Amino acid sequence: MFGQTPESHDRSAGRSFAGSVNLAGWLRDRSPGVAERWAEGLLSGGGSWEGGADAVLRPFSRGLVSFLPAMLTPIRAEIVPLWSECAELYGSVAARRGLSAGEVIEEFHLLREVILRMMFERPPVRPGATLPFREVLLLNRALDIGVTQASVGHTDLLFFSLLHGSGSPPPLGRKELDEVSGQIRALQLEQQRIVRHAARVQPK
């Protein structure tokens, strides 16, 4: 899986947006399934999504997973800030769900596990072929960024809660849940705009 040569790495790095669709295209096609498996895994992991917080569970899982395919393409630099912001928002919501920093990291690592399981169940390449090293590396880095930013969002919210004397962040109410869903949707719409623009400017 990780056994490509430096030469194949270089060829992969030189692909166009349209051609860089081996692992990226596979992940794009399976994004709904990845998101649903992640959501189900999060729900089965404990009761922290109770009390109304489950209203943003699937918006988060679908939204975050939707960023990953483009993170494996040449427009990655434009998508990383959106992915990071969404992951940070996930972390802040986790703090308001009462999770510890370690639990937030575990939830994000579950997404990595889901993707790896699906890659082995239905590989993105034909039998005997290897995955493009560069795309595998970019996927791993994207997930690492997600873990880091979710932890940052969690820590920042706890810090500001202590700074303002409340000690712990307040639970999520209906208004806050609606705002979170709106933020996720806005980030997705911005990504769609970037992807459409990239497709238009690509040479024919």
Side-chain angles (χ1 to χ4, degrees):
M1 177 174 168
F2 296 95
Q4 277 204 318
T5 65
E7 291 77 14
S8 60
H9 180 164
D10 291 340
R11 288 194 298 271
S12 178
R15 291 175 181 169
S16 67
F17 177 76
S20 183
V21 291
N22 193 341
L23 182 54
W26 177 91
L27 188 53
R28 187 178 299 111
D29 292 342
R30 287 160 182 78
S31 288
V34 171
E36 186 59 28
R37 282 204 193 185
W38 187 28
E40 290 298 327
L42 292 173
L43 281 173
S44 66
S48 65
W49 287 102
E50 295 176 353
D54 59 322
V56 293
L57 171 58
R58 280 179 171 79
F60 260 130
S61 63
R62 292 167 184 162
L64 283 162
V65 171
S66 74
F67 293 118
L68 286 174
M71 293 277 282
L72 311 185
T73 71
I75 63 170
R76 176 180 183 274
E78 296 174 80
I79 304 299
V80 166
L82 305 178
W83 163 257
S84 298
E85 185 175 343
C86 198
E88 189 171 340
L89 181 62
Y90 183 94
S92 66
V93 168
R96 299 184 72 167
R97 289 165 45 216
L99 268 64
S100 68
E103 288 171 321
V104 178
I105 291 172
E106 287 178 8
E107 287 197 343
F108 233 95
H109 277 311
L110 179 59
L111 173 57
R112 191 193 309 266
E113 180 180 323
V114 166
I115 293 172
L116 287 173
R117 285 182 179 276
M118 291 185 71
M119 286 171 66
F120 276 95
E121 289 170 5
R122 190 168 295 181
V125 294
R126 66 184 182 277
T130 56
L131 288 171
F133 178 77
R134 181 173 183 269
E135 291 184 8
V136 173
L137 185 62
L138 289 175
L139 175 59
N140 194 55
R141 286 177 177 172
L143 293 167
D144 285 343
I145 291 170
V147 170
T148 300
Q149 293 305 123
S151 180
V152 167
H154 180 278
T155 303
D156 282 355
L157 187 60
L158 291 181
F159 173 77
F160 285 117
S161 297
L162 289 171
L163 190 65
H164 292 116
S166 59
S168 60
L172 291 159
R174 173 50 55 187
K175 179 181 178 182
E176 290 81 10
L177 290 168
D178 289 343
E179 288 175 353
V180 168
S181 294
Q183 288 175 273
I184 297 168
R185 182 58 182 160
L187 292 169
Q188 286 182 281
L189 289 173
E190 177 61 14
Q191 181 200 209
Q192 291 167 12
R193 184 196 66 77
I194 293 170
V195 171
R196 286 195 300 269
H197 176 73
R200 285 197 301 269
V201 302
Q202 277 298 309
K204 302 298 182 182

